[in-house]
């Protein structure tokens, strides 16, 4: 896992106290521990959260931002993946409360802003509710950044449709940062069903037998490296715009 000079985890409490005073915010990376088909590790979303948050805080000074980074939260809401062994899920209520407690702790130490950098779609609802409570109940402003939303246009243009869970995009990223964890011989088209329009599927095993979507054989880690750089810039620009408007 990458370390940066902005990591709370490697600071003493004295160092952390000093840094809170001048920092524009604290990035809290949110991932999951869940199945990612037969070729990617259970840690895929947390790997993304860890590496992408490091990119964010290290690039922040170029945008006149000083961001601290909290440790990655490796568990999220993943009940829909539970039919696949190895998946660990928190309930929606537990996860929401964990996010609130983490944010409240940081706020008590002086964090002006809590910036959740999310890399798992199942976390979305809990993050929205937790951020709402943090901004209302604590002396801080909560921001939620779903990383993929800021890279979506590029990903769709390059990979087409269906590049999501364990597919073209995530396979490209894991090959970029931890190629040793990818079982290249097991990459194959995932043959996922079309998702329903008027109802919700219950478990991911209802959608795909292998556990993924898209075609991981189309992975392109070199392209992904450029997407990471450009998406990081877009996120920092968006944060700067919000901060400039007083959020």
């Amino acid at each position: 896992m990458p370390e940066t000079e902005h990591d709370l985890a490697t600071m003493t409490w004295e160092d952390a106290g000093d840094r809170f005073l001048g920092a524009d915010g604290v990035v809290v990376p949110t991932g999951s521990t869940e199945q990612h088909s037969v070729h990617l590790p259970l840690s895929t979303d947390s790997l993304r959260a860890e590496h992408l948050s490091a990119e964010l805080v290290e690039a922040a000074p170029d945008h006149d931002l000083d961001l601290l980074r909290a440790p990655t939260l490796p568990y999220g809401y993943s009940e829909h993946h539970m039919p696949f062994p190895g998946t660990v899920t928190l309930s929606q209520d537990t996860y929401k409360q964990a996010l609130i407690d983490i944010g409240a702790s940081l706020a008590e130490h002086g964090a002006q802003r809590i910036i959740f950098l999310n890399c798992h779609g199942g976390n979305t609802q809990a993050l929205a509710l937790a951020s709402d409570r943090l901004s209302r109940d604590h002396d801080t402003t909560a921001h939620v950044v779903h990383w993929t939303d800021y890279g979506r246009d590029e990903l769709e243009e390059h990979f087409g449709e269906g590049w999501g869970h364990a597919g073209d995009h995530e396979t490209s990223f894991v090959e970029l940062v931890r190629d040793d964890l990818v079982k290249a011989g097991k990459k194959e088209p995932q043959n996922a069903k079309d998702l329903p329009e008027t109802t919700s599927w219950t478990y991911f095993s209802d959608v795909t037998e292998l556990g993924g979507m898209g075609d991981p054989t189309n992975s392109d880690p070199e392209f992904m490296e450029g997407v990471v750089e450009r998406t990081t810039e877009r996120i920092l620009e968006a944060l700067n715009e919000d901060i400039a408007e007083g959020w």
Side-chain angles (χ1 to χ4, degrees):
M1 293 296 189
E3 289 187 358
T4 81
E5 63 181 26
H6 309 280
D7 292 352
L8 288 173
T10 57
M11 297 178 190
T12 67
W13 67 264
E14 289 181 311
D15 294 337
D18 291 340
R19 289 295 301 276
F20 275 119
L21 294 176
D24 295 297
V26 182
V27 176
V28 179
T30 55
S32 72
T33 299
E34 64 181 35
Q35 71 84 22
H36 276 77
S37 192
V38 295
H39 63 287
L40 292 181
L42 296 164
S43 62
T44 292
D45 288 341
S46 295
L47 280 171
R48 291 173 57 223
E50 183 76 10
H51 285 266
L52 294 170
S53 61
E55 294 279 342
L56 195 71
V57 299
E58 289 186 325
D62 294 334
H63 292 256
D64 295 321
L65 290 173
D66 180 14
L67 300 178
L68 302 179
R69 184 172 73 140
T72 296
L73 187 57
Y75 300 113
Y77 180 65
S78 301
E79 186 176 356
H80 46 301
H81 291 291
M82 282 301 291
F84 298 90
T87 297
V88 176
T89 188
L90 302 178
S91 70
Q92 282 277 23
D93 288 342
T94 298
Y95 185 54
K96 179 186 72 174
Q97 192 58 52
L99 295 168
I100 293 171
D101 289 348
I102 291 167
S105 296
L106 295 169
E108 186 169 333
H109 298 311
Q112 294 186 53
R113 297 172 188 84
I114 313 298
I115 303 161
F116 292 108
L117 184 70
N118 183 46
C119 293
H120 170 50
N123 296 340
T124 301
Q125 290 180 331
L127 279 163
L129 294 171
S131 296
D132 199 31
R133 288 266 58 90
L134 283 168
S135 293
R136 287 178 174 166
D137 299 343
H138 299 274
D139 188 20
T140 191
T141 302
H143 300 248
V144 180
V145 175
H146 300 294
W147 191 92
T148 306
D149 286 349
Y150 291 83
R152 188 176 304 280
D153 289 346
E154 278 194 84
L155 294 169
E156 288 183 350
E157 182 178 355
H158 190 77
F159 293 126
E161 297 181 358
W163 43 263
H165 185 79
D168 319 33
H169 155 227
E170 291 191 322
T171 303
S172 298
F173 186 82
V174 180
E175 287 177 338
L176 175 64
V177 300
R178 285 297 305 273
D179 186 54
D180 59 306
L181 296 179
V182 181
K183 293 191 173 184
K186 291 201 168 186
K187 294 196 303 184
E188 61 178 278
Q190 298 295 289
N191 296 321
K193 297 179 181 178
D194 291 335
L195 299 180
E197 292 187 15
T198 62
T199 187
S200 177
W201 42 272
T202 304
Y203 292 107
F204 219 71
S205 54
D206 299 331
V207 178
T208 166
E209 181 179 350
L210 290 175
M213 304 182 76
D215 186 354
T217 65
N218 291 330
S219 63
D220 188 343
E222 183 176 349
F223 165 72
M224 199 65 220
E225 185 173 18
V227 173
V228 168
E229 181 178 348
R230 292 184 292 273
T231 301
T232 297
E233 295 295 306
R234 284 192 286 269
I235 291 170
L236 290 167
E237 289 168 3
L239 285 171
N240 251 333
E241 289 176 10
D242 283 346
I243 292 171
E245 292 295 324
W247 300 108

